[in-house]
Amino acid sequence: NAGVTQTPKFRILKIGQSMTLQCTQDMNHNYMYWYRQDPGMGLKLIYYSVGAGITDKGEVPNGYNVSRSTTEDFPLRLELAAPSQTSVYFCASRRFSGGSSTDTQYFGPGTRLTVL
Amino acid sequence: TQLLEQSPQFLSIQEGENLTVYCNSSSVFSSLQWYRQEPGEGPVLLVTVVTGGEVKKLKRLTFQFGDARKDSSLHITAAQPGDTGLYLCAAMGSGYSTLTFGKGTMLLVSP
């Protein structure tokens, strides 16, 4: 199993450009997540999905969009890139085992995005 | 939203020293997880603690969950350079859908 894969690893955008960060997992996990990580700020949840066709906002959703058409894929879309979106983005997945608070989240290696 | 306070923010020590990092909140947790993140990689789960007063050991790492389930600590014995990384605590939300992360403790162990 490859686990959680993310592409690209690095990207530089100009202000106002758009891009899609790709995330794929091969563990048949129902839950998937997008986080951003800024220096000294831990991980902040952008969006999450509990299954194909279902998405919900996290703590910092403004400026982003997501879709979940398949179990495996959970792309994150930036429509009008702004310098404030410079960050490292992590995708994660988890098999929700019904009422358990002990499930493991598996993270991808991250995408480092710079907006200039 | 649960607020998780981690301390210290940064710790620089020599190989062989012992250290403890803390994760505190005013809320009661159903469970708490500790992750380690190495530079350029995503976080990796180290342990989950569930029961108040629980102690779990992972080689030289000892994790403790407070009796009231509001705090947790991670103790490393005889730290090694391979322990270098960002240590994050995380708590599950009430609906068991999302995790809230602390800001992390950055540990640097020098040879």
Side-chain angles (χ1 to χ4, degrees):
Chain A
N1 285 355
V4 181
T5 57
Q6 293 183 238
T7 57
K9 285 189 178 298
F10 304 94
R11 184 72 184 270
I12 298 175
L13 284 181
K14 294 182 179 178
I15 294 172
Q17 286 186 320
S18 302
M19 77 163 294
T20 299
L21 282 66
Q22 301 292 345
C23 175
T24 300
Q25 53 93 8
D26 62 359
M27 297 174 282
N28 199 32
H29 286 173
N30 45 357
Y31 280 43
M32 293 188 75
Y33 305 85
W34 274 106
Y35 296 90
R36 60 176 288 171
Q37 185 176 40
D38 302 315
M41 296 300 292
L43 291 159
K44 291 191 180 295
L45 183 65
I46 305 171
Y47 271 95
Y48 68 102
S49 169
V50 302
I54 306 169
T55 62
D56 209 347
K57 296 179 180 179
E59 185 182 356
V60 290
N62 291 345
Y64 307 95
N65 278 300
V66 293
S67 59
R68 183 99 181 269
S69 57
T70 67
T71 298
E72 295 77 21
D73 300 305
F74 190 40
L76 177 70
R77 179 83 177 160
L78 283 70
E79 290 293 350
L80 292 170
S84 61
Q85 293 177 305
T86 293
S87 189
V88 182
Y89 291 84
F90 289 98
C91 179
S93 73
R94 163 187 169 219
R95 175 174 288 121
F96 180 60
S97 53
S100 170
S101 62
T102 62
D103 303 329
T104 302
Q105 277 198 18
Y106 295 87
F107 285 82
T111 294
R112 184 175 296 274
L113 175 67
T114 301
V115 182
L116 300 174
Chain B
T1 301
Q2 298 177 107
L3 185 62
L4 295 173
E5 303 274 358
Q6 288 192 245
S7 61
Q9 282 188 292
F10 183 77
L11 195 53
S12 181
I13 62 172
Q14 296 294 120
E15 182 175 2
E17 293 184 29
N18 301 331
L19 67 115
T20 302
V21 299
Y22 301 92
C23 177
N24 296 290
S25 175
S26 57
S27 302
V28 176
F29 308 134
S30 57
S31 66
L32 189 132
Q33 297 183 325
W34 285 93
Y35 289 79
R36 179 167 65 206
Q37 183 179 15
E38 298 186 13
E41 299 183 8
V44 175
L45 180 68
L46 294 173
V47 76
T48 301
V49 286
V50 179
T51 306
E54 182 176 8
V55 176
K56 282 191 174 180
K57 296 198 175 197
L58 186 65
K59 297 183 181 178
R60 293 175 293 99
L61 280 60
T62 301
F63 303 85
Q64 186 158 5
F65 203 14
D67 291 340
R69 292 169 31 228
K70 291 184 177 182
D71 57 271
S72 182
S73 63
L74 159 59
H75 181 80
I76 301 179
T77 303
Q80 298 177 1
D83 295 326
T84 292
L86 180 67
Y87 289 82
L88 295 157
C89 66
M92 188 66 71
S94 58
Y96 298 154
S97 294
T98 61
L99 281 175
T100 298
F101 284 85
K103 293 182 179 181
T105 293
M106 183 65 218
L107 172 64
L108 176 63
V109 183
S110 302

